[in-house]
């Protein structure tokens, strides 16, 4: 395995990576990379195949509290961090490479300073505005040229726009590309319907909901800390994190019967993206106290399994894990995953590396 790490000078992360034999080849064959974030360790990873060695390339950058990811259009990555949302652009043309092996070079080009809003999922509206789950204020919000955010939508059960994490609204599902719903937020997840500060913590076991943004109706209830609602091939998927399950939502069924489990995963499942018939799912080790005491603990015991930190790639047709990437050591929690198309070995630039100061690219369309 090849590691292209870029951490602050004098630091060396105490992490060990392991990977399934076919992961790197899958990235190469599909011409994709897998992006993942770890807010606990402040890491933004791009996983791909090193064309020189044939092994998995792990490109790593430091971004404080790296959270939500999105790839709203080819060559663009959105990344939410502690108090900012960054838009990366791939500056390489087809056939170009950086540092002899990277066929994708993602440079932070636009930076929105939001302040500490506990931003979770991010997306892009059809007018180009960035929309995000503003968890501190229990709402969806967009970036603002002047202010920290502009309110966009909030659940009916939240009575005020106030900085109190009441329901832990965390996930958003954008409409699928190529459909009339593209560029719109269709669904959100929240850990409860609480309307008092920190009330969601008392509803971790079964208070979670999926909400239709257009109607405001709860389309799925009885979930345990749900995350990462996503639309793919006409179906609404969600991670029932407190039970460690990937599933889909039958929006025609009663809300308390709508969740249809597909696969149990050995960890706190959070971070969901798709490529074809594969789901790319992030897993975390249960954090002390906040994630403990959930059904996931019992299910891990029944499966005689320890919790993972890493990524599992699940075939939606069979439920089988075809590929995986595992992290052991200091990094124990992930937040999001994204599939990055058009590159099978990508790197990003961070603000602490000297490369970003000296890299100059020119938009030839303007010359």
């Amino acid at each position: 395995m090849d590691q292209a790490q870029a951490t602050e000078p004098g630091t060396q992360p105490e992490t060990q990576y392991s990977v399934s034999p076919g992961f790197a080849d899958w990235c190469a064959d599909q011409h994709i990379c897998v992006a993942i974030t770890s807010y606990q360790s402040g890491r933004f990873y791009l996983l791909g195949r090193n064309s020189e060695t044939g092994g998995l390339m792990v490109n790593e950058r430091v971004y404080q509290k790296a959270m939500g990811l999105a790839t709203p259009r080819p060559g663009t990555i959105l990344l939410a961090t502690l108090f900012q949302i960054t838009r990366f652009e791939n500056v390489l043309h087809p056939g170009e490479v950086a540092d002899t092996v990277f066929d994708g070079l993602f440079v932070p080009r636009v930076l929105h300073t939001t302040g500490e809003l506990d931003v979770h999922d991010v997306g892009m509206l059809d007018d180009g505005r960035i929309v995000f789950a503003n968890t501190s204020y229990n709402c969806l919000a967009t970036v603002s040229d002047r202010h920290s955010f502009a309110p966009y939508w909030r659940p009916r059960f939240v009575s005020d726009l106030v900085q109190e994490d009441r329901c832990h609204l965390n996930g958003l599902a954008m409409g699928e590309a190529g459909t009339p719903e593209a560029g719109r937020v269709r669904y959100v997840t929240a850990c409860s319907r609480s309307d008092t500060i920190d009330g969601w913590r008392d509803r971790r076991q079964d208070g979670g909901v999926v909400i239709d943004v257009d109607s405001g109706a709860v389309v799925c209830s009885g979930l345990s800390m749900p995350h990462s609602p996503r639309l793919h091939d006409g179906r609404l998927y969600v991670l029932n994190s407190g039970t460690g399950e990937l599933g889909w939502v039958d929006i025609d069924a009663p809300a308390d019967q709508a969740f249809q489990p597909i696969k149990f995963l050995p960890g706190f499942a959070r971070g969901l993206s798709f490529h074809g018939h594969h789901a790319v799912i992030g897993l975390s080790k249960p954090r002390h106290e906040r994630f403990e005491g959930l059904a996931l603990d019992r299910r891990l015991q029944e499966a005689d399994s320890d919790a993972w930190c890493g990524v599992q790639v699940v075939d939606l047709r069979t439920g089988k894990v075809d590929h995986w990437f595992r992290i052991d050591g200091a990094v124990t929690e992930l937040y999001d995953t994204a599939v990055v198309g058009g590159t099978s070995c990508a790197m990003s630039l961070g603000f602490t590396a000297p490369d970003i100061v000296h890299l100059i690219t020119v938009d030839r369309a303007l010359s």
Side-chain angles (χ1 to χ4, degrees):
M1 186 183 304
D2 306 288
Q3 299 179 22
Q5 296 180 343
T7 57
E8 279 88 352
T11 67
Q12 185 66 34
E14 298 177 2
T15 56
Q16 299 83 43
Y17 306 132
S18 53
V19 64
S20 61
F23 192 106
D25 288 339
W26 178 66
C27 290
D29 292 343
Q30 300 299 312
H31 200 44
I32 60 170
C33 285
V34 173
I36 58 176
T37 54
S38 170
Y39 66 98
Q40 168 249 353
S41 62
R43 294 296 190 271
F44 170 42
Y45 296 96
L46 287 168
L47 311 177
R49 182 180 182 273
N50 187 327
S51 59
E52 292 185 342
T53 67
L56 185 73
M57 176 66 79
V58 182
N59 180 252
E60 172 189 339
R61 295 288 178 180
V62 174
Y63 278 91
Q64 192 174 13
K65 197 182 179 183
M67 292 280 286
L69 286 168
T71 52
R73 59 194 183 199
T76 299
I77 299 175
L78 303 179
L79 170 66
T81 58
L82 178 65
F83 63 96
Q84 295 169 320
I85 300 175
T86 303
R87 194 189 84 206
F88 295 80
E89 297 292 340
N90 182 9
V91 301
L92 297 185
H93 296 289
E96 293 183 332
V97 294
D99 293 348
T100 72
V101 295
F102 295 101
D103 61 358
L105 175 57
F106 286 86
V107 179
R109 289 303 191 197
V110 179
L111 189 69
H112 297 276
T113 300
T114 62
E116 194 169 358
L117 300 176
D118 197 19
V119 175
H120 279 59
D121 283 8
V122 291
M124 183 177 285
L125 299 173
D126 54 7
D127 61 6
R129 285 181 298 163
I130 294 173
V131 64
F132 57 92
N134 184 342
T135 305
S136 286
Y137 281 81
N138 311 285
C139 70
L140 295 177
T142 61
V143 296
S144 168
D145 290 337
R146 183 176 181 183
H147 298 287
S148 295
F149 70 94
Y152 184 76
W153 176 92
R154 76 170 187 259
R156 295 172 180 171
F157 51 77
V158 176
S159 57
D160 298 301
L161 184 69
V162 61
Q163 193 174 15
E164 296 179 351
D165 181 3
R166 298 178 175 185
C167 64
H168 205 67
L169 188 149
N170 55 46
L172 61 86
M174 299 297 300
E176 288 188 77
T179 73
E181 297 181 341
R184 295 172 50 209
V185 185
R186 290 292 293 111
Y187 300 94
V188 301
T189 47
C191 288
S192 78
R193 285 178 267 197
S194 303
D195 195 28
T196 58
I197 187 169
D198 217 34
W200 65 272
R201 294 187 195 276
D202 299 322
R203 302 289 182 267
R204 296 180 310 146
Q205 293 284 356
D206 58 5
V209 292
V210 181
I211 308 168
D212 184 316
V213 169
D214 288 344
S215 68
V218 171
V219 297
C220 186
S221 62
L223 300 175
S224 179
M225 298 188 69
H227 285 82
S228 311
R230 305 287 188 260
L231 285 162
H232 178 67
D233 284 346
R235 177 173 279 185
L236 173 60
Y237 292 88
V238 69
L239 295 174
N240 199 18
S241 305
T243 63
E245 291 174 307
L246 165 68
W248 63 280
V249 176
D250 183 352
I251 59 175
D252 295 321
D256 60 354
Q257 302 172 33
F259 181 71
Q260 308 297 318
I262 296 172
K263 175 76 172 177
F264 171 69
L265 300 147
F268 191 84
R270 187 175 43 185
L272 176 62
S273 52
F274 297 91
H275 182 71
H277 57 265
H278 283 105
V280 181
I281 304 162
L283 298 176
S284 298
K285 295 182 179 181
R287 192 188 321 162
H288 178 61
E289 292 184 352
R290 182 171 299 183
F291 293 168
E292 289 180 340
L294 300 172
L296 175 61
D297 294 342
R298 172 182 54 79
R299 298 199 64 173
L300 286 169
Q301 290 179 353
E302 291 173 352
D304 193 22
S305 178
D306 291 331
W308 268 50
C309 175
V311 172
Q312 293 191 355
V313 181
V314 175
D315 188 325
L316 294 169
R317 302 167 303 180
T318 65
K320 177 179 175 292
V321 176
D322 284 345
H323 312 289
W324 53 265
F325 171 75
R326 181 166 178 165
I327 306 175
D328 290 294
V331 178
T332 59
E333 296 181 32
L334 303 183
Y335 179 74
D336 211 353
T337 74
V339 174
V340 183
T343 168
S344 55
C345 188
M347 66 178 292
S348 68
L349 293 187
F351 296 111
T352 60
D355 298 0
I356 198 168
V357 177
H358 304 294
L359 179 71
I360 306 295
T361 64
V362 179
D363 189 341
R364 297 297 182 186
L366 301 179
S367 62

